[in-house]
Amino acid sequence: MAYTVLARRYRPMTFDEVVGQEPIARTLAGAIRQNRVAHAYLFCGTRGVGKTSMARLLARALNCEKGPTPEPCGTCDICQAIHRGDDVDVLEIDGASNTSVDDVRVLRENAHYRPARARFKIYYIDEVHMLSRNAFNALLKTLEEPPEHILFLFSTTEPERLPATILSRCQRFDFRAVPTDRIAAHLADILAKENLKADADAVMAVARQGRGSVRDALTLLDQAIAVGQGEVTLEAVRSVLGAVAGDKVLALIAACAEGRAERALALFAERLADGADLLALLDQLMREVRDLLVVKTCGLPAGQAGPKAELLDIFGPDPKRLAEEAEKFSVPALIASLGYLTEARRRARWVVDGRPIAELALVRMAALAEMDTVPEILSRLEAIERSLAGAAPAASPQAAPPRTDLPTGQAGEKKTGPSSAPGAPGLRREDAPVPMKGRPTVDKTPPPPTASGSATPQKTKKMEDAMKDPLVQKTVRLFEGRVLDPPADRHGRNG
């Protein structure tokens, strides 16, 4: 007999066996118990969180020979056929391959016929957002007022693509990502039923790698069992994922912390020569730098007055080594490094050879060791500003009062002389401006500095003025991890 993968073999048989979606299971079970089942349901959520399993459970609960009941027997022919997905009255339709109006027209015509042997004829359309706009419009009337023996079940990963007219005719349930500890407990239970040995760290690594998807975690567990010859170990999981040992990744980051770009590039080339995938290695570098940032800001893991162990990468090095390496970085440098790696990961995905992009990120990380921090730059600018303020010329003495014994011109203006040119005392007669007749002379010379005017501004005002300098702004953007080059499109090309 052909092997059945764990994800199919351990589908939940009752509402109580659903993992991570207990509120939805309770709601549907209560609707069946109170005879308040709607004619259309919409299940939304990411992949592998139980949408299809919940649809089959609901179909079994309604069509079971002992039902409708929230606890289907699971032994009758109808329950077993629905669980396998081949029941004649529960039609599972792929929305991606049945998108046209003609497909919906066939559905509408067949909906008038009663089920062959069950109570309800149930249409389950997976990835319903793939239907065309005209197909949705053709389905509206039947969806709003279906025959009493018809039940519609829809599932989608992109509910925002559904028309509002469809959403308003369905009861919507949003499936959340399953917590990691719930996935780990579910995996441990399955391994116990399969009589397989497994390390606790390996089970947790598989659960984390599932990223909220039970099906993804079970698929990875199947691979780890095959690699480990019936035993699940952390090394087997690392081999399946193609992950590099955490100590080797940390050595690469340590070379960047010491400013040794040539050493970092050599270690990076060794990891690629060992068969590591470029994008996977960048992902691991990002997780490692993120762990350094967590240790730098929160301290050591649990048991050592710091963050919980689950905050750190399961494939990472020893937490004590992380703490030692974190001391070589400042928080702004770690933030900038994470920004460089994130940018490189995004760009490398869309080019044929992403290695130069990754190496550029490593060189940038190594260059951070030669740069001063932003507080040091600002303090240096303040020192320069204070020295310039202290070297300003002293206030000039008060100018002599104007003479009143000089002859006046038209409109009562005084004639200017060598020492009385307005705004320019001591100028020669040919250099002094001559006022126009009939208009008063305006002195535009700025007033001499006074004792109060030579005082230094407040510290906050200094920092605001310093931040207006283009060089300082460029340095701040560099430490914040922003891209100094023009923005790039999704193909990695600069605009």
Side-chain angles (χ1 to χ4, degrees), residues 101-342:
V101 178
D102 294 335
D103 297 320
V104 175
R105 184 182 295 115
V106 173
L107 184 151
R108 291 175 54 190
E109 293 174 354
N110 294 334
H112 294 291
Y113 299 103
R114 298 194 63 84
R117 60 173 180 171
R119 296 181 186 85
F120 296 94
K121 179 181 285 188
I122 299 175
Y123 288 96
Y124 172 57
I125 304 180
D126 192 14
E127 298 299 334
V128 69
H129 64 269
M130 299 296 291
L131 295 182
S132 65
R133 183 174 182 178
N134 292 332
F136 277 125
N137 293 334
L139 186 61
L140 287 179
K141 185 60 178 177
T142 305
L143 182 61
E144 184 174 7
E145 297 178 354
E148 61 179 7
H149 59 273
I150 293 296
L151 179 67
F152 288 103
L153 300 178
F154 302 139
S155 69
T156 178
T157 56
E158 302 179 34
E160 65 277 359
R161 293 178 58 180
L162 296 180
T165 51
I166 296 294
L167 295 174
S168 64
R169 288 166 168 80
C170 304
Q171 285 193 15
R172 173 174 172 171
F173 292 94
D174 290 297
F175 286 65
R176 62 172 184 167
V178 182
T180 302
D181 56 346
R182 294 297 310 278
I183 296 179
H186 184 58
L187 297 180
D189 183 59
I190 290 176
L191 289 170
K193 293 178 180 178
E194 294 286 325
N195 296 322
L196 295 173
K197 296 180 180 180
D199 298 338
D201 290 342
V203 175
M204 182 57 67
V206 173
R208 287 190 185 181
Q209 194 65 26
R211 293 183 175 89
S213 172
V214 178
R215 184 174 63 229
D216 289 0
L218 288 173
T219 301
L220 179 59
L221 182 63
D222 251 331
Q223 294 177 274
I225 292 173
V227 171
Q229 300 296 323
E231 184 176 357
V232 182
T233 62
L234 190 60
E235 189 61 33
V237 177
R238 181 183 287 115
S239 175
V240 170
L241 295 175
V244 181
D247 292 336
K248 295 181 180 180
V249 177
L250 190 60
L252 197 159
I253 298 176
C256 294
E258 298 168 358
R260 301 170 59 189
E262 72 287 349
R263 173 64 176 166
L265 293 178
L267 291 175
F268 187 73
E270 290 179 8
R271 302 289 79 79
L272 294 180
D274 292 339
D277 179 71
L278 178 66
L279 297 181
L281 184 55
L282 283 174
D283 288 336
Q284 201 165 355
L285 281 168
M286 290 168 58
R287 290 195 298 268
E288 207 75 28
V289 173
R290 177 255 180 199
D291 286 349
L292 288 172
L293 186 59
V294 170
V295 173
K296 183 73 174 180
T297 55
C298 304
L300 291 176
Q304 304 177 26
K308 296 181 178 180
E310 52 264 26
L311 288 178
L312 303 180
D313 184 18
I314 195 70
F315 297 117
D318 184 71
K320 292 184 178 180
R321 278 209 60 197
L322 277 176
E324 294 174 359
E325 295 298 331
E327 294 300 324
K328 301 178 181 179
F329 285 94
S330 63
V331 172
L334 288 173
I335 294 174
S337 300
L338 194 56
Y340 296 153
L341 292 172
T342 302

Side-chain angles (χ1 to χ4, degrees), residues 32-92:
I32 296 171
R33 192 176 293 111
Q34 302 175 34
N35 194 24
R36 301 181 66 89
V37 180
H39 64 273
Y41 289 97
L42 174 63
F43 297 154
C44 309
T46 186
R47 67 190 187 282
V49 293
K51 299 186 296 297
T52 300
S53 297
M54 192 71 74
R56 291 183 178 179
L57 278 176
L58 181 58
R60 290 172 56 198
L62 294 175
N63 285 344
C64 178
E65 293 180 357
K66 299 180 181 180
T69 173
E71 298 176 359
C73 66
T75 58
C76 64
D77 292 340
I78 295 178
C79 286
Q80 292 181 0
I82 294 175
H83 184 70
R84 293 192 304 266
D86 57 8
D87 187 70
V88 66
D89 292 323
V90 179
L91 307 177
E92 297 189 9

